[in-house]
Amino acid sequence: MSKRPRFWETVPLTRMTEDEWEALCDGCGKCCLNKIEDADTGEVFLTRVACRLLDDYSCQCGQYQIRKKLVPECIRLTPENIESHAYWMPATCAYRLLWQGRPLPGWHPLLTGDPESVHAAGISVRGMTVPEFEVDEEDWEDHIIEEPN
Ligand code: SF4
Ligand code: SF4
């Protein structure tokens, strides 16, 4: 099914078509970085240690259609489960922003028409990740980063 004009401004998350839902992703790749959650405080720290399927240049999943088979822990975000995941999602994530009732940022590819605009704006993880097979999980805390914003 096709996308309606400026659907992100008028259509609730729960009423979007699959194409519209998928198009909301800005391609930043930040949700594909491993996080460390402090068991006592619940605070979430972002690391530059990337899921093994993330391409550091394109910031895309290398096997998006079959990712759940290869990475069972990969979370498939839906309008129904977004509330339980919002606390760890990147501040600029379009799903989180719309769920919060906020607008898309001006650099979002839906607004610019250019998939590169997320990289040009310095929002994505392009060129800053290390693959998880190169770093032991016990060393992830050595790779904590600030979220690119
Ligand atoms: S953080 Fe949000 S916008 Fe960025 S890649 Fe993940 S799902 Fe897409
Ligand atoms: S499997 Fe793909 S979509 Fe899921 S976290 Fe890894 S790179 Fe991201």
Side-chain angles (χ1 to χ4, degrees):
M1 205 186 262
S2 60
K3 298 187 279 293
R4 289 162 280 192
R6 296 188 80 89
F7 65 91
W8 58 93
E9 293 175 344
T10 56
V11 183
L13 291 173
T14 52
R15 304 287 297 275
M16 288 182 184
T17 65
E18 196 175 335
D19 283 353
E20 290 168 343
W21 177 262
E22 291 295 319
L24 283 182
C25 179
D26 60 37
C28 73
K30 289 192 282 196
C31 61
C32 303
L33 298 183
N34 287 295
K35 294 120 200 126
I36 300 172
E37 188 167 349
D38 187 311
D40 297 324
T41 66
E43 196 173 354
V44 178
F45 300 93
L46 189 66
T47 79
R48 65 191 187 105
V49 183
C51 170
R52 53 198 173 276
L53 292 187
L54 186 73
D55 182 299
D56 177 78
Y57 185 77
S58 70
C59 301
Q60 299 287 317
C61 179
Q63 297 286 351
Y64 190 69
Q65 296 305 326
I66 58 167
R67 66 195 188 284
K68 289 290 284 180
K69 287 199 176 102
L70 301 172
V71 183
E73 66 271 25
C74 175
I75 291 162
R76 184 172 171 269
L77 200 63
T78 67
E80 289 73 37
N81 69 15
I82 192 167
E83 184 168 3
S84 59
H85 294 298
Y87 79 99
W88 63 260
M89 289 166 65
T92 60
C93 177
Y95 298 97
R96 182 179 176 178
L97 289 173
L98 293 193
W99 177 74
Q100 292 172 325
R102 297 166 65 190
L104 295 184
W107 47 259
H108 194 290
L110 281 173
L111 294 170
T112 63
D114 178 4
E116 281 294 308
S117 59
V118 64
H119 309 298
I123 301 299
S124 79
V125 300
R126 176 177 281 178
M128 66 169 64
T129 74
V130 289
E132 61 190 3
F133 47 78
E134 285 185 10
V135 185
D136 288 340
E137 192 164 343
E138 65 211 35
D139 296 329
W140 284 3
E141 62 185 272
D142 297 336
H143 295 274
I144 289 172
I145 57 168
E146 292 290 324
E147 181 185 332
N149 277 331

